[in-house]
Amino acid sequence: MPEIRTGRVRVAVLISGAGSNMAALVDAGAVTDASFEVVLVLSNKAEAGGLAVAEAKGVPTALLDHALFGKDRAAHEQAIQTVLEAHGVEVVALAGYMRLLTAFLVGRWAGRMLNIHPSLLPKYPGLDTHARAIAAGDAEAGCTVHLVTEGVDDGPVLGQSAVPVMADDTPASLGQRVLAAEHDLYPRVLGDFCRSGMSLPDPSPLRRGDARQPCE
Ligand code: GAR
């Protein structure tokens, strides 16, 4: 049974892959005056490298492989919800969680679920954001932390960070630069969000992306 500490917002991080953003959040939540702590890392994929990273950091992990639920998204999300409740989670942070969520889980966590996306939304919702920024000749790219709503990569923006696009950038090199910015932005924005009692920045920039599907 994990120790229940008071004073810090209890955050679950949902991942599907390497979990470098998750690691940044865990580390930021472990400092003395942090406003949050990561109490659970949950993956929908057994092969997610982030699970071992979280375990090495002493964070409880859960694996809920969506493939075992077939097409039953509702059952998968209900299972996620049960684990989140069991860990006393107050805020959910999606960090490379590459599976679309339905209205059930999004509605259950309305105003309490954040996502990081590797573009300056509303530009480039969906996949291949870095290739699209390079193809468009953009001078800058970046990342966005936003509240999760039923729209894809949509919802009120909580923070953004821009990086330059270099003339010789490939999607991989630009992705590395953006990822480094993500590791700085996400802990900062989540920290402010939890410190402010989960309120939106003022004014809250509500915007809409297009309906491209980013995930499975
Ligand atoms: C990050 O770049 C994150 O912004 C992106 O996946 C990567 C996960 O890396 N998320 C999305 O594209 C979601 N739309 P990580 O597992 O090392 O944190």
Side-chain angles (χ1 to χ4, degrees):
M1 190 70 180
E3 182 193 0
I4 307 284
R5 279 172 281 174
T6 54
R8 296 186 190 200
V9 176
R10 296 174 63 80
V11 173
V13 183
L14 269 55
I15 63 169
S16 302
S20 68
N21 277 289
M22 172 277 296
L25 293 177
V26 169
D27 292 348
V31 303
T32 310
D33 58 348
S35 60
F36 68 90
E37 63 178 324
V38 177
V39 297
L40 174 69
V41 171
L42 186 152
S43 173
N44 68 315
K45 292 198 170 184
E47 62 272 26
L51 283 172
V53 174
E55 279 159 19
K57 289 178 178 292
V59 180
T61 59
L63 169 64
L64 286 171
D65 186 343
H66 67 269
L68 301 180
F69 293 80
K71 291 190 188 309
D72 196 347
R73 285 179 184 267
H76 183 237
E77 291 191 4
Q78 182 55 66
I80 293 174
Q81 178 62 22
T82 299
V83 174
L84 295 176
E85 286 176 8
H87 285 79
V89 169
E90 298 167 290
V91 166
V92 175
L94 306 183
Y97 185 75
M98 302 303 282
R99 186 159 176 83
L100 290 174
L101 295 173
T102 74
F104 168 73
L105 209 60
V106 171
R108 191 70 189 67
W109 291 92
R112 297 285 182 276
M113 182 183 277
L114 284 64
N115 181 46
I116 187 154
H117 182 75
S119 78
L120 295 171
L121 291 171
K123 271 193 166 182
Y124 315 130
L127 296 174
D128 302 322
T129 55
H130 309 310
R132 288 154 69 196
I134 291 170
D138 291 352
E140 61 177 23
C143 49
T144 303
V145 176
H146 63 96
L147 283 176
V148 175
T149 57
E150 284 186 47
V152 173
D153 297 326
D154 201 358
V157 171
L158 299 176
Q160 291 186 309
S161 181
V163 302
V165 180
M166 306 300 188
D168 59 351
D169 260 334
T170 62
S173 65
L174 178 57
Q176 284 305 311
R177 197 173 306 119
V178 172
L179 195 60
E182 294 182 41
H183 298 162
D184 172 66
L185 179 73
Y186 210 176
R188 208 155 32 82
V189 170
L190 180 61
D192 289 348
F193 182 72
C194 293
R195 198 169 290 108
S196 72
M198 279 81 90
S199 61
L200 294 179
D202 188 26
S204 117
L206 186 61
R207 34 129 228 92
R208 307 251 155 240
D210 68 29
R212 224 182 314 263
Q213 302 287 300
C215 312
E216 300 171 70

